[in-house]
């Protein structure tokens, strides 16, 4: 494929493929390892708490550096940083595969998280940077589909690879794929501006970068460990560190000559309310992914494999609807699409809270289909709203903060739904465990699950209000 052979239209397709594939790869690798954790624990002779850091180190690094890499993309060139992200991700996968100890594997996963954070932070910014306005709606729909595909195939693919080969191959598979993806990106992505064409760049905000990362890491750690450790000294210490780091970050950014976080973005209602809707929507989605398997297995009595099949239904509907939602955003104001989808989410969650006690699986299937339609309509349309307001030269900063808000929302969602369920059903136990749920009366379980989805309907309602207000002032 030479430059002369690539027409403008086909080049746009290849650019979109390169961007979407990065989204797919990051999401797939978030899930491909999870199913291999018991095998890794046995291989390294460690417990579940220790092996959980294989996942934790990756997630912490991805989230903590999103804001940093989003800003760096605007400064050193999106294509250049994107290629570097692929290189780090691919090389670290090799380190993961041949890790001799668990500590080495955790460190390699953290390095892999750095590469994944680059890819994850930049992909939304690349759509308005490289594609014309009329293609952005469908492009964001394609990104949503790629993300859902990565999530849906990650777990079964990881189980297949680990079962037939070994857990090492869950990382080795990234190497040839990453190399091919780098070659395609290098060929099709437009070159960054040369040094002579660029406006001189201000000094990078190193102090702000350190404290923003420290605040995010401590926040996510305290939330993630709250479920298992409660108000342990380490959890309280992480919470205090978050508050201190956040205060220092805000004070520093207010007086910094070239702050990491551009406060002018907060003058945009599309940025503020679009991020709020994104936070609440992903908060619900992550909480749903955490709590619903317990409902399916304890109330409906489904075995693990059948419960997984129900979740596959969501992914299939989402992937089918994503491109259609992207096309709709070309004909209908994406803000209106977002608001309508979220109002439908209120009905879906509220309805399920009232019908989850009904015998049979029909209410479950209706709920999953409805939720998939809501998310597949909202996510690409909201991406279009927020990224559409990004001024030239600031797409990376907007993209990084947008992704960061979503990741934090996912962490908060798991903790929120778990806490609500605990207060409603388990009361003094403080832990959500399948064995413990079996000893609780069915009526108490149903009441607790109903409370969770009622709160979820409230999240959708606030998110809908945010989406409605997410419009630019002219």
């Amino acid at each position: 494929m030479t430059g002369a052979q690539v027409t403008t239209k086909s080049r746009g397709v290849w650019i979109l493929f390169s961007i979407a594939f990065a989204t797919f790869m990051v999401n797939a690798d978030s899930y491909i390892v999870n199913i291999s954790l018991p095998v890794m624990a046995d291989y390294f002779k460690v417990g579940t708490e220790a092996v959980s850091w294989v996942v934790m180190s990756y997630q912490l690094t991805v989230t903590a550096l999103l804001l940093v890499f989003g800003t760096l993309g605007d400064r050193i060139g999106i294509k250049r940083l994107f290629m570097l992200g692929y290189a780090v991700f691919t090389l670290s996968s090799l380190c993961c595969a041949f890790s001799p100890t668990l500590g080495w594997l955790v460190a390699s996963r953290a390095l892999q998280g750095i590469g994944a954070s680059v890819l994850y932070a930049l992909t939304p910014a690349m759509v308005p940077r490289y594609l014309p306005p009329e293609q952005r709606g469908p492009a964001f729909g394609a990104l949503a589909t790629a993300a859902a595909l990565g999530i849906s195939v990650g777990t079964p693919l990881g189980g297949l690879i680990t079962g037939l080969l070994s857990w090492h191959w869950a990382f080795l598979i990234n190497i040839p794929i990453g190399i091919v993806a780098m070659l395609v990106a290098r060929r099709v992505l437009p070159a960054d501006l040369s040094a002579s064409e660029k406006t001189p760049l201000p000094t990078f905000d190193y102090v702000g970068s350190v404290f923003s990362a420290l605040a995010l890491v401590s926040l996510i750690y305290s939330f993630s460990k709250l479920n298992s450790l409660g108000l342990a000294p380490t959890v309280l210490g992480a919470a205090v560190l978050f508050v201190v780091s956040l205060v220092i970050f805000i004070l520093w950014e207010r007086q910094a000559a070239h702050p990491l976080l551009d406060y002018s973005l907060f003058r945009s209602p599309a940025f503020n309310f679009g991020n709020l809707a994104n936070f609440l929507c992903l908060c619900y989605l992550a909480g749903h992914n955490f709590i619903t398997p317990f409902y399916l297995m304890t109330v409906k009595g489904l075995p693990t494999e059948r419960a997984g099949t129900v979740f596959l239904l969501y992914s299939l509907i989402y992937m089918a609807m994503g491109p259609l939602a992207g096309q709709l955003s070309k004909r209908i104001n994406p803000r209106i699409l977002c608001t309508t989808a979220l109002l439908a989410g209120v009905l879906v969650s509220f309805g399920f809270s009232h019908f989850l006690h009904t015998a049979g699986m029909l209410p479950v299937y209706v709920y999953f289909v409805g939720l998939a339609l809501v998310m597949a309509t909202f996510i690409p349309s909201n991406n279009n709203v927020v990224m559409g307001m990004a001024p030239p030269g600031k797409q990376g900063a907007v993209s990084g903060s947008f992704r960061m808000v979503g990741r934090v929302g996912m962490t908060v969602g798991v903790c929120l739904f778990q806490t609500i369920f605990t207060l409603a059903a388990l009361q003094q136990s403080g832990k959500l465990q399948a064995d413990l749920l079996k000893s609780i009366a069915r009526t108490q379980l149903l009441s607790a699950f109903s409370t969770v989805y009622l709160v979820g309907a409230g999240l959708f309602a606030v998110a809908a209000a945010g989406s409605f207000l997410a419009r630019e002032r002219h």
Side-chain angles (χ1 to χ4, degrees):
M1 180 177 61
T2 66
Q5 292 172 323
V6 181
T7 65
T8 302
K9 183 176 180 180
S10 63
R11 181 169 185 145
V13 172
W14 278 103
I15 288 174
L16 178 57
F17 171 80
S18 183
I19 299 171
F21 188 79
T23 302
F24 165 81
M25 197 168 182
V26 172
N27 280 280
D29 218 70
S30 297
Y31 289 84
I32 198 172
V33 175
N34 290 14
I35 201 168
S36 305
L37 291 180
V39 178
M40 293 179 184
D42 183 64
Y43 181 87
F44 291 113
K45 309 301 180 187
V46 297
T48 55
E49 180 73 16
V51 80
S52 69
W53 278 99
V54 175
V55 174
M56 184 71 69
S57 60
Y58 180 83
Q59 298 290 3
L60 285 175
T61 312
V62 170
T63 306
L65 297 176
L66 285 172
L67 190 60
V68 174
F69 288 133
T71 304
L72 278 177
D74 293 328
R75 295 169 182 265
I76 69 175
I78 284 184
K79 180 179 180 179
R80 187 177 296 111
L81 188 58
F82 188 70
M83 296 293 294
L84 180 61
Y86 257 132
V88 172
F89 187 90
T90 305
L91 179 61
S92 59
S93 296
L94 184 65
C95 297
C96 289
F98 292 104
S99 296
T101 64
L102 179 63
W104 185 281
L105 178 57
V106 169
S108 299
R109 279 284 280 175
L111 181 62
Q112 189 182 45
I114 294 175
S117 187
V118 172
L119 301 177
Y120 200 67
L122 296 182
T123 46
M126 296 169 78
V127 171
R129 173 70 65 89
Y130 298 138
L131 297 176
E134 65 273 11
Q135 294 182 18
R136 292 173 188 171
F140 281 120
L143 289 187
T145 302
L149 183 61
I151 293 171
S152 62
V153 306
T155 298
L157 181 61
L160 184 65
I161 291 173
T162 302
L164 296 179
L165 300 169
S166 70
W167 65 265
H168 305 80
W169 282 94
F171 298 109
L172 287 173
I173 194 175
N174 290 331
I175 298 170
I177 294 175
I179 292 173
V180 172
M182 288 174 63
L183 293 175
V184 172
R186 183 175 181 271
R187 171 67 68 178
V188 304
L189 295 182
D192 295 318
L193 295 177
S194 64
S196 60
E197 296 173 308
K198 283 185 178 181
T199 304
L201 296 175
T203 304
F204 185 68
D205 184 11
Y206 294 101
V207 175
S209 299
V210 170
F211 282 103
S212 69
L214 192 60
L216 285 170
V217 168
S218 55
L219 172 65
I220 295 171
Y221 177 85
S222 59
F223 265 118
S224 63
K225 291 299 181 183
L226 186 63
N227 295 326
S228 59
L229 300 180
L231 297 178
T234 53
V235 175
L236 292 175
V240 171
L241 180 60
F242 160 69
V243 174
V244 172
S245 301
L246 181 63
V247 170
I248 295 175
F249 173 72
I250 292 174
L251 293 177
W252 173 264
E253 294 294 288
R254 289 176 67 87
Q255 58 85 41
H258 306 290
L260 180 69
L261 185 61
D262 187 348
Y263 281 91
S264 67
L265 296 176
F266 292 98
R267 291 196 290 267
S268 165
F271 180 82
N272 293 329
F273 290 109
N275 269 296
L276 173 64
N278 183 54
F279 177 90
L280 294 173
C281 194
L282 292 184
C283 181
Y284 181 97
L285 183 60
H288 151 82
N289 288 336
F290 173 76
I291 203 72
T292 307
F294 287 95
Y295 167 76
L296 294 177
M297 289 185 280
T298 57
V299 175
K300 292 300 183 181
L302 299 184
T304 305
E305 60 275 10
R306 191 178 171 194
T309 304
V310 176
F311 275 83
L312 185 60
L313 171 65
Y314 168 90
S315 296
L316 293 175
I317 298 294
Y318 188 105
M319 286 186 289
M321 182 62 186
L324 177 60
Q327 293 293 335
L328 283 175
S329 68
K330 294 172 62 176
R331 298 175 173 84
I332 304 174
N333 187 322
R335 183 176 61 85
I336 301 302
L337 274 180
C338 290
T339 305
T340 304
L342 292 172
L343 289 175
V346 175
L347 298 178
V348 169
S349 190
F350 183 82
F352 189 55
S353 72
H354 282 75
F355 289 101
L356 53 79
H357 65 281
T358 306
M361 289 295 294
L362 181 60
V364 176
Y365 294 142
V366 172
Y367 167 70
F368 269 83
V369 171
L371 185 62
L373 293 175
V374 168
M375 294 298 178
T377 303
F378 168 78
I379 291 177
S381 301
N382 192 56
N383 287 354
N384 202 357
V385 170
V386 176
M387 293 308 305
M389 57 70 53
K394 293 184 179 180
Q395 290 100 335
V398 174
S399 174
S401 59
F402 182 68
R403 291 289 205 184
M404 178 194 68
V405 167
R407 282 277 177 170
V408 174
M410 292 169 71
T411 303
V412 172
V414 173
C415 299
L416 177 65
F417 275 45
Q418 190 274 341
T419 301
I420 293 169
F421 188 90
T422 298
L423 293 175
L426 309 184
Q427 298 177 356
Q428 301 300 320
S429 67
K431 291 184 179 181
L432 184 57
Q433 299 174 348
D435 292 339
L436 185 60
L437 292 179
K438 295 177 182 177
S439 63
I440 300 177
R442 179 181 175 86
T443 54
Q444 190 176 353
L445 273 180
L446 289 172
S447 176
F449 282 118
S450 178
T451 301
V452 168
Y453 294 106
L454 279 175
V455 172
L459 293 179
F460 272 130
V462 177
S467 264
F468 181 76
L469 297 171
R471 55 182 166 185
E472 288 301 305
R473 298 190 184 99
H474 297 286

